[in-house]
Amino acid sequence: QVQVVESGGGVVQPGRSLRLSCAASGFTFSSHYMHWVRQAPGKGLEWVAIISFDGSYTLHADPVKGRFTISRDNSKNTLYLQMNSLRPEDTAVYYCVKDRSNAWSFDYWGQGTQVIVSS
Amino acid sequence: QSALTQPASVSGSPGQSITISCTGTSSDVGGYNYVSWYQQSPGKAPKLIIYEVTNRPSGVSNRFSGSKSGNTASLTISGLQAEDEADYYCSSHTSRTTWVFGGGTKLTVL
């Protein structure tokens, strides 16, 4: 069955960096676009970034553009989110999400990894 | 990109039907048939229940249905059950090739 498992979250000071990972299994990872979506405490969902199946195309939401970078390693079936210059407003649960091909929707979600940015 | 507009809460009794609206603009909901809906139970990850406005993924109950008119999409849940109590989010692809979510609607089954 499809599984995506995030890791790498934690508590970090403002201005520091963190790298999230997402291990995928149960599907042909290299054939699917992937997303990161986040959810601040008690708030709604916010799309963060997308990457094409081969990594040649990426797009980031305005609030994280220039600070976050999505990438992937298809040989390891792993998705990444490099987060630099973190701000308190980046505090959220970060979800790794498989894209539903040709439907531009969020197909399978991991359980999320918590990121807390605080001094 | 502004968030899509959803009612903060809706409620209904078991067996009844409820509808949740999701209002955007011609740059998102009105311009594309890439509206999707997600169910999120407390402490859980969201689950896709409707994609491309009206389609249900395999395994999702046919009590869930979607529609769209102009810039407003809707999710209808018929034959309400206690297990339907959750937060519901709509989402749309946008003209900037990004995605936008609604603010979420809390469904209470009375």
Side-chain angles (χ1 to χ4, degrees), chain A residues 35 37 39 43-47 50 57 59-62 65 95 99-100 102-112, chain B residues 1 33-34 36 38 40 43-48 50-52 56-58 89 91 93 96-103:
Chain A
H35 302 263
V37 175
Q39 186 170 33
K43 301 295 185 182
L45 301 168
E46 181 183 23
W47 174 79
I50 184 175
Y57 171 79
L59 186 65
H60 300 78
D62 286 344
K65 199 170 293 182
Y95 293 102
D99 184 78
R100 187 177 184 95
N102 303 317
W104 289 132
S105 57
F106 307 101
D107 206 5
Y108 285 93
W109 300 63
Q111 285 307 302
Chain B
Q1 195 84 35
N33 284 327
Y34 293 127
S36 50
Y38 304 85
Q40 186 177 34
K44 301 286 190 179
K47 173 189 173 184
L48 176 66
I50 295 289
Y51 66 96
E52 289 180 314
R56 277 189 311 276
S58 174
Y89 294 90
S91 176
H93 190 56
R96 295 182 62 208
T97 65
T98 59
W99 281 261
V100 63
F101 284 94

Side-chain angles (χ1 to χ4, degrees), chain A residues 45-105:
Chain A
L45 301 168
E46 181 183 23
W47 174 79
V48 174
I50 184 175
I51 187 167
S52 61
F53 59 90
D54 61 356
S56 62
Y57 171 79
T58 64
L59 186 65
H60 300 78
D62 286 344
V64 308
K65 199 170 293 182
R67 299 187 300 122
F68 291 11
T69 301
I70 188 172
S71 63
R72 65 192 298 161
D73 185 338
N74 286 346
S75 68
K76 296 181 179 178
N77 285 357
T78 301
L79 179 72
Y80 302 100
L81 185 66
Q82 177 67 43
M83 303 186 296
N84 299 331
S85 303
L86 282 160
R87 305 167 179 169
E89 55 264 36
D90 296 320
T91 294
V93 173
Y94 284 74
Y95 293 102
C96 166
V97 191
K98 172 183 170 291
D99 184 78
R100 187 177 184 95
S101 296
N102 303 317
W104 289 132
S105 57

Side-chain angles (χ1 to χ4, degrees), chain B residues 1-106:
Chain B
Q1 195 84 35
S2 300
L4 306 176
T5 300
Q6 297 181 232
S9 64
V10 297
S11 63
S13 299
Q16 288 186 329
S17 294
I18 63 95
T19 296
I20 300 172
S21 61
C22 170
T23 301
T25 69
S26 58
S27 295
D28 38 64
V29 174
Y32 304 91
N33 284 327
Y34 293 127
V35 176
S36 50
W37 289 90
Y38 304 85
Q39 177 191 60
Q40 186 177 34
S41 299
K44 301 286 190 179
K47 173 189 173 184
L48 176 66
I49 55 174
I50 295 289
Y51 66 96
E52 289 180 314
V53 181
T54 62
N55 295 324
R56 277 189 311 276
S58 174
V60 173
S61 171
N62 60 9
R63 296 186 299 104
F64 294 90
S65 62
S67 63
K68 189 183 85 166
S69 177
N71 295 337
T72 298
S74 298
L75 171 71
T76 298
I77 308 175
S78 59
L80 265 182
Q81 300 179 1
E83 67 201 48
D84 299 330
E85 190 159 287
D87 293 328
Y88 291 84
Y89 294 90
C90 62
S91 176
S92 176
H93 190 56
T94 79
S95 59
R96 295 182 62 208
T97 65
T98 59
W99 281 261
V100 63
F101 284 94
T105 298
K106 182 177 181 61

